[in-house]
Amino acid sequence: TKRFGAVTAVRDLSLEIGDREFVTLLGPSGCGKTTLLRLIAGFMTPDAGSIRVGARTLSTPTAVVPPERRGMGMVFQNYAVWPHKTVYQNVAFGLEVRKVSRGDAQARVARVLELVNLAGLEGRYPSELSGGQQQRVALARSLVVEPDILLLDEPLSNLDAKLRERMRWELKELQRRTGITFVYVTHDQSEAMALSDRIAVMHGGEIMQLGAPRLVYTRPANRTVADFMGLVNLLPAQVVTFAGDDSMVAVGGEHPIAVALPPGTVAGQTVQVAVRPESVRLIPSSAAGTPGVVPGKIAEVTFLGNIIDCYVTLDDGTRIRAQVDSGRVLEVGQAVGVEFDSRQASVFSA
Ligand code: ATP
């Protein structure tokens, strides 16, 4: 637990991270992810609880091992490489401080620059590098001291979209090659999914769900997680029959669809069915009337190149977002049948 006056930034939180694991703390602004990372780094003292690495206790409310003696490296959003030092000098600095011999330092810097694809640029100054190259200098600087754990706080957010995407692959690859445990903070869900072994979705200083990207995306623990992990339709629905995985709910005005319902649900209850736009299928309107097919009308269509993004209005006015194959021909006003992939739907109490 960590409090700032009346604000509890991290609340009675427990998290165990495996050796060599890549775990991302994901959540909206103010959810406490940076505070948690700074607690792990040793920049802050917890108000309650402890932080351990292996058998070593690093933080308690009364004693905190300082950041430089925790065996952790840290990379920040504003990577702050020294402008008046060359790439080589930037990376070697941490070794000089640790009194590593010049010969050893040269070998280690060369190895780490190779690792982050900066070999050959040793003599350049940061002003002579691209944003991505500067960020790689910051990474190299953290890696050269051979940390067991690397903490990264939104390290890619100052880069343009294309570069950010490429750096994801590089970071993932780097983690595989070095075997370092990564703890990564971001508010970008696609970044979290691309990089992580497990994602901890945070909200209000707590972890709402911890799991592999696929699990968190397809089986969100609650509405907050469903909403944060990409686009989602939250459809009001009424329980028609409860039979566990083979239950029926009515959506779009009396149209029954099959879904799995959590234990304890009763007929007549109002629930919300969470369906991602890519799990909505649009079929010819002639199929309407078939069980599981809900009639609707196309309200908006946008061609996005790789997909078509559209809104469909159901009989009762409910609007559903659907993302379908870009080869489809869809027009505003067109009548369609809407089918849900019920295996991909989650149901929450309303
Ligand atoms: P962001 O993505 O915006 O950085 P975050 O999820 O990293 O957000 P934190 O920086 O951990 O969030 O902040 C969590 C909460 O603690 C927020 O309500 C914030 O205002 C508060 N907080 C953080 N640091 C301090 C501080 N030094 N003093 C007072 N309140 C703080």
Side-chain angles (χ1 to χ4, degrees), residues 22 72-82 87 90-92 94-95 108-109 111-118 129-147 149-157 159 163-164 166-178 180-184 195:
F22 197 128
M72 300 180 188
M74 192 140 185
V75 182
F76 299 97
Q77 174 177 351
N78 45 354
Y79 28 88
V81 289
W82 289 294
V87 168
N90 260 287
V91 178
L95 299 177
R108 280 167 71 172
V109 172
R111 204 161 52 226
V112 90
L113 288 178
E114 189 79 40
L115 199 63
V116 298
N117 293 322
L118 284 178
L129 298 174
S130 71
Q133 288 168 333
Q134 290 183 40
Q135 183 58 299
R136 275 183 251 154
V137 174
L139 269 171
R141 209 171 46 180
S142 310
L143 290 171
V144 81
V145 297
E146 296 169 0
I149 299 168
L150 195 57
L151 309 175
L152 304 103
D153 193 353
E154 309 242 7
L156 306 185
S157 57
L159 306 178
L163 189 55
R164 204 157 63 213
R166 208 181 69 221
M167 286 295 290
R168 281 180 195 170
W169 294 96
E170 292 192 12
L171 272 182
K172 188 78 196 145
E173 175 60 24
L174 187 70
Q175 196 241 354
R176 239 177 264 140
R177 269 183 288 168
T178 57
I180 296 172
T181 304
F182 274 44
V183 187
Y184 193 95
L195 286 167

Side-chain angles (χ1 to χ4, degrees), residues 253-277:
E254 317 282 290
H255 299 284
I257 61 168
V259 290
L261 288 176
T265 317
V266 292
Q269 191 179 333
T270 305
V271 293
Q272 277 185 326
V273 181
V275 194
R276 303 230 178 252

Side-chain angles (χ1 to χ4, degrees), residues 221-274:
N222 56 41
R223 251 172 301 177
T224 310
V225 176
D227 208 20
F228 197 74
M229 295 299 295
L231 301 170
V232 70
N233 292 293
L234 288 169
L235 308 174
Q238 207 119 49
V239 177
V240 181
T241 51
F242 174 71
D245 288 353
D246 300 310
S247 302
M248 301 291 278
V249 298
V251 296
E254 317 282 290
H255 299 284
I257 61 168
V259 290
L261 288 176
T265 317
V266 292
Q269 191 179 333
T270 305
V271 293
Q272 277 185 326
V273 181

Side-chain angles (χ1 to χ4, degrees), residues 233 297-302 309-313 319-322:
N233 292 293
K297 263 203 173 75
I298 304 280
E300 285 178 48
V301 184
T302 308
D309 200 2
C310 60
Y311 278 97
V312 179
T313 310
R319 274 162 67 88
I320 294 181
R321 189 163 177 178

Side-chain angles (χ1 to χ4, degrees), residues 2-5 7-10 27-36 38 44 77 153-154 185-187 202:
K2 180 68 186 170
R3 293 182 212 97
F4 299 106
V7 178
T8 304
V10 174
S29 183
C31 71
K33 53 196 188 296
T34 295
T35 304
L36 179 56
R38 296 178 69 83
M44 286 178 177
Q77 174 177 351
D153 193 353
E154 309 242 7
V185 160
T186 183
H187 62 270
M202 293 186 63

